[in-house]
Amino acid sequence: MRVYVPLTLPGLAEAYQKGELGAAPLVAYAVTPALREWYLSDDIEELEYAALSRAALASLRLLAADPRAARRRVVVAVDVPDGAASAGPGRGLDPAALGEVRVTGAVPLAKAASVHVDAADAEADVAAAAEALKAADAGDDDAQFVVDGAEDHELLWYATQEIPNLVGNAG
């Protein structure tokens, strides 16, 4: 099963150093039944992009909590065994938890398929979105517009061999 793990650049640097993506249970995003129902598509590529987008929003939340991290969203796509990831009971239809899964057990970074990171030119919009996130969550439409501005930036795809270069930019 392909899951998308939200991180920050410092989080990616730590995962690179330790060789794994964090302590279990690990929050990730995947194509879940609730995500399929919400997205209304049978195209697996579109559904996986939706899961990646949910992970990018979770990465933005991590950035909001860590003002020292470089303002670039990071998502690691990783393959885990079927059954190693499951949606939280009772959260499947919660709009805030669409696609969210918990991964049991350690997730070796070596299992990563790819890394997705904002380009440097997205940093200003991502920084503004991280600042506006709390107000957007409280229903402020102007703040939501700012958060949506970060989503206008596509995450760039990187091969796992490029992680050392990416973590050299961790801040």
Side-chain angles (χ1 to χ4, degrees):
M1 168 183 234
R2 172 74 43 99
V3 299
Y4 299 90
V5 180
L7 292 174
T8 61
L9 282 173
L12 181 61
E14 183 178 337
Y16 179 68
Q17 185 177 41
K18 291 182 176 179
E20 68 179 40
L21 288 171
L26 188 64
V27 174
Y29 293 80
V31 178
T32 62
L35 184 72
R36 284 180 187 274
E37 187 176 322
W38 170 74
Y39 199 74
L40 298 175
S41 175
D42 289 330
D43 184 324
I44 191 64
E45 287 184 14
E46 287 182 16
L47 290 165
E48 286 191 356
Y49 183 79
L52 172 71
S53 297
R54 301 293 295 174
L57 178 59
S59 175
L60 184 65
R61 292 187 183 289
L62 294 173
L63 290 172
D66 183 0
R68 296 176 299 129
R71 305 333 253 169
R72 295 169 75 184
R73 297 167 298 164
V74 177
V75 176
V76 178
V78 62
D79 295 316
V80 298
D82 289 342
S86 61
R91 293 208 52 179
L93 298 177
D94 178 355
L98 283 171
E100 184 179 295
V101 295
R102 299 275 189 272
V103 180
T104 57
V107 179
L109 188 58
K111 296 286 185 186
S114 58
V115 180
H116 305 266
V117 181
D118 275 309
D121 68 357
E123 287 187 21
D125 288 339
V126 171
E131 282 290 317
L133 197 53
K134 188 174 184 179
D137 287 345
D140 183 320
D141 289 338
D142 292 333
Q144 186 62 53
F145 182 78
V146 173
V147 170
D148 292 343
E151 294 176 9
D152 290 341
H153 294 276
E154 294 289 328
L155 297 178
L156 302 178
W157 181 94
Y158 293 91
T160 56
Q161 298 87 335
E162 296 177 274
I163 292 174
N165 293 333
L166 290 169
V167 299
N169 297 323

